[in-house]
Amino acid sequence: MESEEENDQIFRQLKKQKSVKIADDKTDIVEVKEKHGPLYMSIPKLPLGAAVTCCLLNIVLPGFGTFISAFTVLCGAPTALNKRTAAFLFNLLSAFLQMITFIIIVGWVWSILWGMNMVTLAMNWGEEKRTPYYCRRQSSIDVP
């Protein structure tokens, strides 16, 4: 166990120190990319007004906003899934399951989350084309 005098001496030395040096000057590219399944990837990227409308429909009538958004895929709304017919069928399946499981509350919650995802995708429309975020990695500091 250290004495009080030794603790005071260490404290005084640290107090005299004016700045902290970073020993590692490397920079790293940090990129986070989430992996999603085909159901999530089939959510169409709608304009913000249409996404909010579908979200509100999903809140009032579970699955109905998802059903309408399925047909926007056929009208040209982009999705993360490359195949339009598969995205359309996944959206129809999601809408049907939301409508069926709405009785046990699961479908209603799923429908609300699905609508929120539509709004989130609409708000982040062009973000995937941005340049990567650079940050400084601080691994250690010099302390006397």
Side-chain angles (χ1 to χ4, degrees):
M1 188 168 186
E2 295 181 12
S3 68
E4 228 176 283
E5 290 178 19
E6 290 175 359
N7 286 339
D8 287 339
Q9 185 180 9
I10 293 171
F11 181 72
R12 278 189 225 115
Q13 286 176 353
L14 290 174
K15 196 173 181 182
K16 287 179 186 177
Q17 185 179 357
K18 298 289 184 188
S19 64
V20 176
K21 285 181 144 183
I22 298 174
D24 189 11
D25 291 335
K26 296 179 184 175
T27 58
D28 292 328
I29 298 173
V30 176
E31 184 178 351
V32 177
K33 190 170 185 174
E34 296 179 31
K35 286 188 173 183
H36 295 288
L39 274 179
Y40 183 87
M41 290 173 55
S42 68
I43 299 174
K45 294 179 183 175
L46 302 172
L48 187 59
V52 169
T53 303
C54 287
C55 181
L56 291 174
L57 284 173
N58 271 346
I59 292 170
V60 176
L61 298 168
F64 192 66
T66 307
F67 183 75
I68 290 175
S69 73
F71 288 99
T72 63
V73 173
L74 292 180
C75 294
T79 63
L81 204 60
N82 294 333
K83 301 175 183 175
R84 286 199 186 279
T85 54
F88 172 71
L89 292 175
F90 277 131
N91 276 307
L92 280 183
L93 176 68
S94 298
F96 179 70
L97 290 175
Q98 287 170 6
M99 289 176 189
I100 289 176
T101 57
F102 138 77
I103 297 169
I104 56 172
I105 307 297
V106 172
W108 189 54
V109 173
W110 180 17
S111 181
I112 292 171
L113 291 174
W114 202 264
M116 289 170 51
N117 283 336
M118 282 188 231
V119 173
T120 303
L121 284 174
M123 291 174 69
N124 300 335
W125 186 277
E127 253 184 50
E128 59 272 352
K129 294 179 182 169
R130 285 188 183 176
T131 56
Y133 175 73
Y134 293 92
C135 75
R136 182 180 180 103
R137 181 174 59 97
Q138 182 177 351
S139 63
S140 63
I141 55 175
D142 291 336
V143 179

